[in-house]
């Protein structure tokens, strides 16, 4: 079996699965109410880490503070116990699954107001790592030592806290299939993804297994 992989945003994968253009759409966010006619299988879970520049003394931010930072109600780090520096709000582009996941959890009562909208995880990490006062969000698996991942409401972002549900910013990784598509190949693929070997591969890639 040959699997053709097309790297697009979550929204495109879901839409093309709904339209029957592809066999499996991969999504790094939950399905929206209007994304119907699909069967979603969660194959692993991902934490969304909030990252700041390594020079920043802040190491814990509340959900409430995070919403105010991303809506620009809070614009200086001194308002959340940090240095007297302007906050540079970094995010992903519209249609990004990471952005959708972050905003659906954090931006409950307001709109995000970004200084920069970047098109890749690597760009977010690089920009936060080289910009004094910057804040961004990325998949937990991609955090490296060029940035600092802060606690959220006192909870450290790691595999254990994502798995036990105590880390509040997390999202499912889904495989979505159009209802009625009973292909044996699709069934075999999903069974493999949820098998011990498939879950080990997910863990090795930095995601949190569902089994």
């Amino acid at each position: 079996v040959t699997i053709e992989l097309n790297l697009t945003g979550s929204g495109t994968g879901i839409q093309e699965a709904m339209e029957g253009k592809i066999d499996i759409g991969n999504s790094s966010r939950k399905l929206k109410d209007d994304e119907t006619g699909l069967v979603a299988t969660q194959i692993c879970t991902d934490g969304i880490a909030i990252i700041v520049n390594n020079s920043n003394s802040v190491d814990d931010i509340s959900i409430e503070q995070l919403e105010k930072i991303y809506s620009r109600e809070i614009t200086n780090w001194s308002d959340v116990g940090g240095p007297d520096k302007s906050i540079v709000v970094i995010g992903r582009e519209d249609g990004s699954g990471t952005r959708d996941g972050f905003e659906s959890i954090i931006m409950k009562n307001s709109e995000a107001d970004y200084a920069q909208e970047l098109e890749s995880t690597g760009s977010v990490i690089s920009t936060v790592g080289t910009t004094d006062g910057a804040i961004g969000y990325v998949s937990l698996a991609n955090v490296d030592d060029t940035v600092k991942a802060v606690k959220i409401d006192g909870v450290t972002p790691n595999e254990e806290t994502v798995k036990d549900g105590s880390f509040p910013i997390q999202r499912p990784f889904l495989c979505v299939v159009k209802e009625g598509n009973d292909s044996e190949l699709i069934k075999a693929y999903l069974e493999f993804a949820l098998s011990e070997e498939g879950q080990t591969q997910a863990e090795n890639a930095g995601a949190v297994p569902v089994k």
Side-chain angles (χ1 to χ4, degrees):
V1 175
T2 299
I3 297 175
E4 181 181 343
L5 179 63
N6 188 12
L7 297 176
T8 64
S10 297
T12 300
I14 292 168
Q15 183 63 35
E16 293 195 351
M18 289 171 63
E19 295 171 356
K21 293 180 179 179
I22 57 176
D23 293 305
I24 298 174
N26 291 332
S27 174
S28 56
R29 62 165 172 80
K30 295 178 181 178
L31 295 178
K32 298 177 180 178
D33 291 342
D34 60 350
E35 292 170 337
T36 58
L38 295 169
V39 177
T41 302
Q42 183 173 348
I43 59 172
C44 51
T45 307
D46 180 47
I48 299 177
I50 305 304
I51 57 172
V52 299
N53 188 273
N54 277 326
S55 66
N56 198 326
S57 60
V58 171
D59 59 10
D60 195 348
I61 298 174
S62 71
I63 291 287
E64 181 182 3
Q65 289 171 334
L66 201 52
E67 181 176 8
K68 290 180 178 179
I69 287 171
Y70 269 84
S71 64
R72 304 291 188 99
E73 186 177 340
I74 292 176
T75 59
N76 195 293
W77 284 109
S78 62
D79 292 330
V80 291
D84 183 14
K85 283 180 186 172
S86 294
I87 301 175
V88 182
V89 179
I90 306 297
R92 289 293 303 276
E93 80 284 5
D94 190 30
S96 157
T98 311
R99 174 171 169 168
D100 284 345
F102 171 82
E103 291 185 357
S104 67
I105 296 168
I106 302 301
M107 310 306 294
K108 296 293 189 182
N109 304 302
S110 50
E111 294 289 328
D113 183 6
Y114 297 101
Q116 296 184 52
E117 298 180 30
L118 304 177
E119 294 188 355
S120 72
T121 295
S123 296
V124 173
I125 292 174
S126 175
T127 301
V128 172
T130 56
T131 304
D132 199 19
I135 186 171
Y137 52 78
V138 296
S139 174
L140 179 58
N142 296 112
V143 175
D144 59 28
D145 59 8
T146 65
V147 293
K148 180 170 73 171
V150 298
K151 297 176 183 177
I152 302 298
D153 285 320
V155 180
T156 302
N158 56 38
E159 180 177 336
E160 289 72 27
T161 58
V162 171
K163 201 165 191 174
D164 67 20
S166 60
F167 184 71
I169 314 176
Q170 56 176 275
R171 57 182 174 159
F173 281 172
L174 306 176
C175 288
V176 297
V177 178
K178 187 173 183 179
E179 285 182 353
N181 189 343
D182 298 322
S183 165
E184 288 299 317
L185 288 178
I186 293 175
K187 182 180 178 182
Y189 179 89
L190 296 177
E191 285 178 349
F192 170 77
L194 293 172
S195 70
E196 183 177 353
E197 183 179 355
Q199 291 291 285
T200 297
Q201 288 195 19
E203 187 170 24
N204 290 342
V208 177
V210 292
K211 291 191 172 182

